[in-house]
Structure formats: C-alpha cells, structure tokens
Amino acid sequence: VPEAREFMTHRCVDIVLTDLQLPGESGLTLLDWVRRTAPHTARILMTATTRIEDAVHAINQAQVHRMVLKPWRCEDLLQTLRGVARTILLERSHEQLLDELRQLNLELEQRVAERTRELELALAQLQLKNQFLEKMALTDPLTSLANLRAAKQIARKELLRRKRTQEPLTLILIDADHFGQVNKLYSQVAGDQVLVWLAGVLQNSIRGADSLGRVGGEEFEVVAPGTDAAGAAALAERLRSNVENGVKVFDGQPIRMTISLGLAVVEPAVPAEYDQLRQIAADALKEAKASGRNRAVIRVLAPAATSE
C-alpha cells in the first residue's frame, strides 16, 4: 500500500482496483485517499461481503465507482475494467468537447469585438453552440433519449397545456424486469446494448405526440397527452407485448426482456401536478412488479365525488 501511494504521488493513474482487505489497512481507506488525492481516478473495490451496510459505507466513504463481488471470474473482471475505461474515455471526450466549445465561444466574442460587421453571423454561431450544449445537458448519452431533467420539463409543459385544453393525459413509468441478470449473465456491455435496444422498441411503440425519456438505470417514462384510460390500456399493452416479443442478440446469444408498467391517468378537467402523477405511477409500477412483473397496472385520477 505505501508503494501504491508513492507511485500515485508521481504518476497519473486512471483506475485503481483494490481488495477490501489489505495488509495493515482497509481497501476503503486507500480508495478514500485516492478520492481526495486524485479525484478523477476511477475506484473499484473487490470484496467478498454482500452486506448492504458495507456497500453503503463504500459508496459514502470512498465513493467507489464499481464493486466486484468475490468469487469473481476473470472475464467479468475484464468486462468491468473495460466498462470503467470506456466511461473514463467518454468523460474525457466530453470534457474535451466542452473545452473546445468554450474556446470557440471565446474566439467568437473576440471576433465580434474586433469586427462588428460580422456581429450577426457570430451571434448565430454562438447561439447554435449554446443550443448544442443545452441539448447535451438534456440527453441521455447511452440511449440518446431525453434524460430525467428533460423528461420532467416535458411532462410539466404538457400538464400546463392541458390546463387550457382540459384533455386527459397519461404518465407511464416503465421498468425492465430482472435487468440485473443481464449484466450478471452476459456483461455490462450487453446490459448497455440491451438498454439501447429497449429504448428503440419503446420509441417505436408510442405515437408521435408522446414523449419517451430514460429517467433511471433501467427505468423509462412516457408522457402521452390526450390519452384516456382506454387509450392508456392499449398503449401499455403495445409497449409490453412489443418488448416481450422482441429479442436482442448479443455475441450470438438471444436476450429476451419483459417490462413492468405503472400508469397514472388523469381524466379531463381534473387538476394534476407532475409530482402527484409520478407518485401514482410509481405506486402502480410497484404493484405491477410485486404481482409478477411483465404487466401493467393503471390508476385513474378521476373527479372527486360530490354529494347532493
């Protein structure tokens, strides 16, 4: 361990892989030192424990990027290292692109100051680049779908619009069933490819007026304006059956998936807020998963009953 610290003091290291049990100290202590000394270095912890308390401690103290459980297979470990390396390369590419865009913006500002006759062209170019940065901030890098931030914006915009139109609206939360088994049985690379495939199937299953976003690891959200309970049931079945009947081939092996869906339907003229609908959909999704998965549970937000 002292040799590792000495080495990292004079050299840049991309990935540190360590066992939880080290001679004289805990691997978490070393990874915490790495986090403080070289925050851009990826940290991977190997451990034989599966206690949730240890995982929480590793995440909170050393902020590990990955945990590898023993006994491990060489192939799985290599896949984990390759996945971490790919993430590092993507982050560096992203940072490099942002630096280049910042430099371009600076150059454009200088050109505007020096040559006012090119002001309109320079401002147009700057606007395009800012739009590109904004799009990057709202896009899931793996699936190219709207990310959580963008999905919330879309849903709230549709809810504001329906205040004027007084039409129904459906919010759907979708979770890939047993997705962790894909990473475990095939590799994280396979898991990423399955998520991209799943995003494509879901996108092809909704209408042009609907919006799809990736709001979690294997969780997606659909906003379907103008969709009542009957339309929601039809949409949910189309999404479910298209995924169940599809297949993703990875490394010559077919991978089949199912999804669970929780739907919140708000009827015409019924007031509703995004957080309220999302909680209703989340509860419905929880029920769908608890009752066997590969199914949809629909809950309708209807007008409150009035007494004579």
Side-chain angles (χ1 to χ4, degrees):
V1 176
E3 291 82 354
R5 296 178 191 266
E6 176 66 20
F7 182 85
M8 291 192 63
T9 302
H10 300 93
R11 297 285 296 275
C12 292
V13 176
D14 293 323
I15 301 174
V16 171
L17 171 65
T18 180
D19 200 307
L20 178 62
Q21 302 297 331
L22 296 175
E25 67 174 288
S26 166
L28 286 177
T29 304
L30 175 61
L31 291 183
D32 183 53
W33 178 85
V34 172
R35 176 186 63 81
R36 290 181 282 104
T37 305
H40 294 293
T41 298
R43 299 170 292 281
I44 303 176
L45 178 67
M46 298 177 62
T47 176
T49 179
T50 58
R51 295 191 311 163
I52 187 64
E53 296 87 349
D54 294 330
V56 171
H57 186 58
I59 293 172
N60 290 339
Q61 177 180 339
Q63 298 180 13
V64 298
H65 295 85
R66 298 283 173 83
M67 291 184 67
V68 177
L69 296 180
K70 299 178 181 177
W72 49 268
R73 297 187 308 169
C74 183
E75 180 182 351
D76 293 337
L77 181 59
L78 287 175
Q79 290 287 1
T80 297
L81 292 172
R82 291 190 185 104
V84 172
R86 183 164 57 88
T87 299
I88 292 173
L89 290 176
L90 287 173
E91 289 176 350
R92 288 179 178 176
S93 176
H94 181 73
E95 292 174 357
Q96 182 181 359
L97 177 59
L98 290 178
D99 289 339
E100 292 174 356
L101 288 172
R102 293 189 190 100
Q103 183 61 33
L104 285 174
N105 286 340
L106 179 59
E107 292 175 0
L108 286 172
E109 291 174 0
Q110 293 172 346
R111 287 183 58 192
V112 168
E114 294 170 358
R115 295 180 290 180
T116 56
R117 65 179 179 272
E118 299 179 1
L119 179 60
E120 288 187 3
L121 176 61
L123 288 176
Q125 292 176 342
L126 182 61
Q127 183 180 12
L128 287 175
K129 288 175 174 58
N130 287 337
Q131 289 174 350
F132 177 67
L133 285 173
E134 182 177 356
K135 182 179 180 180
M136 289 176 61
L138 297 174
T139 302
D140 174 54
L142 178 64
T143 62
S144 297
L145 296 177
N147 60 16
L148 176 60
R149 176 185 171 192
K152 288 182 178 180
Q153 291 181 0
I154 292 170
R156 290 190 170 109
K157 182 179 179 180
E158 288 295 340
L159 286 168
L160 284 175
R161 190 179 66 84
R162 75 173 292 273
K163 287 184 179 180
R164 302 190 304 271
T165 62
Q166 298 297 302
E167 64 180 11
L169 181 140
T170 295
L171 180 73
I172 308 175
L173 288 182
I174 303 169
D175 190 82
D177 296 331
H178 304 296
F179 177 75
Q181 291 298 313
V182 176
N183 288 334
K184 181 178 179 180
L185 296 176
Y186 299 97
S187 76
Q188 185 182 353
V189 175
D192 288 347
Q193 292 191 19
V194 167
L195 286 175
V196 173
W197 168 80
L198 184 59
V201 174
L202 297 177
Q203 185 68 63
N204 291 332
S205 302
I206 61 177
R207 307 169 304 170
D210 302 335
S211 300
L212 172 68
R214 182 187 178 204
V215 295
E218 60 268 20
E219 189 172 280
F220 299 83
E221 179 180 284
V222 174
V223 178
T227 303
D228 57 14
L235 175 57
E237 177 56 23
R238 185 164 67 249
L239 290 163
R240 188 203 64 78
S241 61
N242 285 352
V243 173
E244 182 183 37
N245 295 328
V247 59
K248 168 63 180 175
V249 177
F250 174 79
D251 198 18
Q253 302 180 73
I255 301 177
R256 298 185 180 276
M257 297 293 298
T258 62
I259 56 174
S260 299
L261 305 93
L263 293 83
V265 181
V266 55
E267 293 189 346
V270 177
E273 299 296 333
Y274 172 73
D275 291 340
Q276 176 190 17
L277 283 183
R278 199 176 197 283
Q279 185 59 55
I280 293 173
D283 292 341
L285 174 61
K286 183 177 180 180
E287 180 180 337
K289 295 179 76 67
S291 58
R293 295 184 170 84
N294 191 24
R295 65 194 63 204
V297 171
I298 302 175
R299 295 186 178 176
V300 180
L301 187 61
T306 58
S307 58
E308 295 292 338

